[in-house]
Amino acid sequence: MLRRHNAEAALDTLILEPGWIWDARDGLRGGQHVVVQGGRIADVVAERPTLEAERIVLPDGLLLPGFVNLHNHAFSAPLFRGLADDIAAGELPGDIVYSLLMPLGDIAAEVLDEAAIGDVAEMALLETMKGGSTTIMDVWRLQQAPFIERGRGLGLRTYSCPYLFSTPKMDMTPDGRPVTAPEAADTGFDRVMALFAANDEGPRGRTRVGFGPHGLDTCTPELLVRLRDTVDAIGCPLTIHAAQSQVEIDIVRAHYGKSPIEHIRDLGLLRPGTVLAHCVLATDAELAMIRDHGAAVASCPYAFSRFGVAVPFARFLDAGINLGVGTDGVGLDMVAELRAAALLAKVQAGRGGIAGGEAMLRAATAGGAAAIGRDDLGTLAVGATADLLLFDLSGARYQPVWNPLQALLTNGVAADLHTMLVDGRMLIRDRAVQGVDEAAITRRGAAAIRRVWDAAARLGRLPAGIAARRAEQAAFA
């Protein structure tokens, strides 16, 4: 059942009194008071305001703009949890996207009804929220449309970009490669347009709907051009996977004689407002092309590192592209994602000074906000939308605090998120999500995922090694 959180209306006036505040524009400051009124930041002042208001006083608190999770698959996180980890060489018949992730998504669509799909989405969104994401650009299958209402019920800012494919059901070869075909009559376009008409709240809204064409290897040029023209007409978001695997690169080059980044440029989609997911195999010249054309890259290092793939986060930083960060449906915790991204960048570059606290937080706030065209997010400027995070750094893992940004990203955990506001609404208060039964949400979502796993095992649709591990674990249950 859909529930509305207790803080449905924005607080009339709230004064936040943390030890430090930070945003990408003005940097780290102490001794500031942030006044929130009518869903916006009304003032940021050094002198303690005297007006009557609710106050949150946290002397060891760090106040940040809300994290913009620029690429996520919330439903996928619990669906693949444990199945897609520790996979040995040769255990899958091909690329993991096409030989495990997409087929299992097909089974979920077959097995679960709308209510169960919503339960999984709500469980994942609850986890994503508690990881610090106030805005989530999420890519999901059209059967997972209950995501929209569940996100709205939790009070989150969601950018839903349902998948589109040029074939109604993506078939695979025996070695796990996608089978491409001419564009089918039903690519999902009309259903996305219906979702847009029913749910999109416009450029400054909390609920947005756009397009998430799967990739340049699974969508025909005709479909992508149609999406380009539609985005121009209605102003909706668009995100697409690009340069994420060698399989994709090989298919695009074989069909069109160019790389995926060159292909999307020639289709007129390499531009501001387009969010390219991953780009792990983009060359330096292609990163420069992305930068010069104004598109954004959503990087998700944690997800790729578990497959042994090094995301070139250091090169992304050095290239000066518009860079955001996403959790990609793995951990769903932006604090952990930022730490993983920073550590991988330092190792790749051989430079301990790269990917410092300011750079990482910029990507997670102002960078993500710029990617979706929201200059009112990712900032603590007066007049900005009050999407805010307040972390409590009073615990032993942080103390004594030399620099609060380093303390959070080196030692911090998302469990120390004390307060979350979206549109001035209090979604998390004193570490507790407001107005929901977390245990019941988790219980329903987990039960739905177990039904999918049971069906996949019964149908023999799990790769042998993964099925064997599940059988071993079941023996100890």
Side-chain angles (χ1 to χ4, degrees):
M1 179 185 299
L2 182 65
R3 293 168 303 285
R4 309 300 294 186
H5 53 80
N6 289 339
E8 173 60 26
L11 298 167
D12 289 338
T13 303
L14 172 68
I15 300 175
L16 298 161
E17 302 184 16
W20 309 272
I21 69 173
W22 177 91
D23 70 359
R25 188 187 73 168
D26 294 318
L28 183 65
R29 292 156 282 164
Q32 301 293 303
H33 304 77
V34 177
V35 181
V36 175
Q37 290 179 327
R40 296 194 171 273
I41 297 175
D43 213 348
V44 180
V45 293
E47 186 175 347
R48 193 171 194 262
T50 59
L51 59 127
E52 289 293 324
E54 179 178 354
R55 295 175 186 265
I56 297 178
V57 181
L58 209 61
D60 286 303
L62 171 62
L63 183 70
L64 304 170
F67 292 149
V68 178
N69 190 335
L70 196 57
H71 184 75
N72 196 43
H73 306 282
F75 191 94
S76 298
L79 180 61
F80 306 129
R81 186 160 289 153
L83 277 74
D85 295 306
D86 301 332
I87 294 175
E91 195 168 9
L92 295 177
D95 185 275
I96 188 169
V97 171
Y98 307 107
S99 61
L100 176 64
L101 306 187
M102 291 174 66
L104 200 60
D106 288 338
I107 296 173
E110 296 165 6
V111 170
L112 299 181
D113 61 17
E114 190 171 287
I117 288 170
D119 290 340
V120 175
E122 188 170 16
M123 178 175 70
L125 281 167
L126 182 67
E127 181 186 353
T128 310
M129 170 195 295
K130 294 176 73 174
S133 298
T134 55
T135 297
I136 305 163
M137 177 169 269
D138 209 276
V139 183
W140 36 263
R141 292 168 178 253
L142 279 161
Q143 298 91 339
Q144 296 163 12
F147 172 98
I148 296 174
E149 278 303 312
R150 300 300 178 109
R152 184 178 281 136
L154 289 169
L156 289 165
R157 189 177 306 283
T158 59
Y159 279 60
S160 291
C161 296
Y163 273 134
L164 289 92
F165 296 93
S166 288
T167 52
K169 179 178 173 61
M170 184 56 56
D171 291 321
M172 313 292 160
T173 63
D175 62 350
R177 296 169 66 89
V179 175
T180 56
E183 185 173 333
D186 181 14
T187 62
F189 177 87
D190 290 339
R191 284 178 286 170
V192 175
M193 289 298 291
L195 288 170
F196 177 86
N199 296 283
D200 188 80
E201 296 176 356
R204 298 297 194 193
R206 191 158 27 111
T207 300
R208 301 244 41 212
V209 177
F211 294 111
H214 174 262
L216 296 147
D217 54 336
T218 52
C219 295
T220 62
E222 293 78 12
L223 174 58
L224 294 172
V225 167
R226 185 182 189 191
L227 297 182
R228 179 198 68 198
D229 294 345
T230 303
V231 169
D232 288 343
I234 66 176
C236 69
L238 184 141
T239 184
I240 185 169
H241 296 94
Q244 71 167 337
S245 73
Q246 192 60 50
V247 170
E248 171 207 347
I249 289 174
D250 292 345
I251 289 174
V252 172
R253 194 165 291 282
H255 278 74
Y256 311 113
K258 60 188 78 171
S259 74
I261 303 302
E262 292 168 332
H263 185 42
I264 198 168
R265 176 201 62 193
D266 294 347
L267 292 171
L269 276 167
L270 195 66
R271 59 185 185 173
T274 296
V275 177
L276 305 176
H278 308 314
C279 293
V280 296
L281 297 179
T283 66
D284 288 344
E286 288 169 339
L287 292 179
M289 189 187 307
I290 293 169
R291 179 195 64 219
D292 294 344
H293 282 75
V297 171
S299 185
C300 311
Y302 188 85
F304 279 81
S305 64
R306 69 175 178 162
F307 306 139
V309 176
V311 171
F313 204 87
R315 288 202 297 118
F316 292 161
L317 290 170
D318 288 341
I321 59 176
N322 187 8
L323 179 62
V325 175
T327 53
D328 199 36
V330 180
L332 304 184
D333 178 343
M334 282 287 279
V335 176
E337 188 73 41
L338 293 172
R339 179 179 298 121
L343 291 175
L344 288 167
K346 293 175 189 295
V347 171
Q348 292 158 7
R351 310 195 312 267
I354 197 171
E358 295 238 9
M360 299 311 302
L361 289 171
R362 182 179 298 108
T365 58
I372 57 175
R374 293 293 300 261
D375 58 8
D376 63 319
L377 302 179
T379 178
L380 299 183
V382 173
T385 299
D387 286 14
L388 303 172
L389 304 174
L390 180 60
F391 286 93
D392 183 359
L393 307 187
S394 64
R397 69 170 53 249
Y398 304 103
Q399 294 292 324
V401 176
W402 178 270
N403 179 297
L405 308 185
Q406 294 167 343
L408 177 64
L409 295 185
T410 301
N411 299 323
V413 293
D416 289 325
L417 177 56
H418 180 279
T419 302
M420 172 187 282
L421 302 181
V422 172
D423 267 341
R425 296 169 170 84
M426 190 90 71
L427 304 191
I428 294 177
R429 179 193 295 265
D430 199 12
R431 293 179 169 82
V433 178
Q434 299 298 288
V436 301
D437 184 339
E438 294 187 43
I441 291 171
T442 303
R443 186 168 55 251
R444 290 194 300 270
I449 292 297
R450 290 192 189 97
R451 293 206 298 276
V452 178
W453 288 355
D454 289 344
R458 186 173 61 252
L459 295 168
R461 307 258 299 267
L462 291 176
I466 294 172
R469 284 201 297 275
R470 183 169 191 258
E472 290 171 2
Q473 293 159 2
F476 295 99

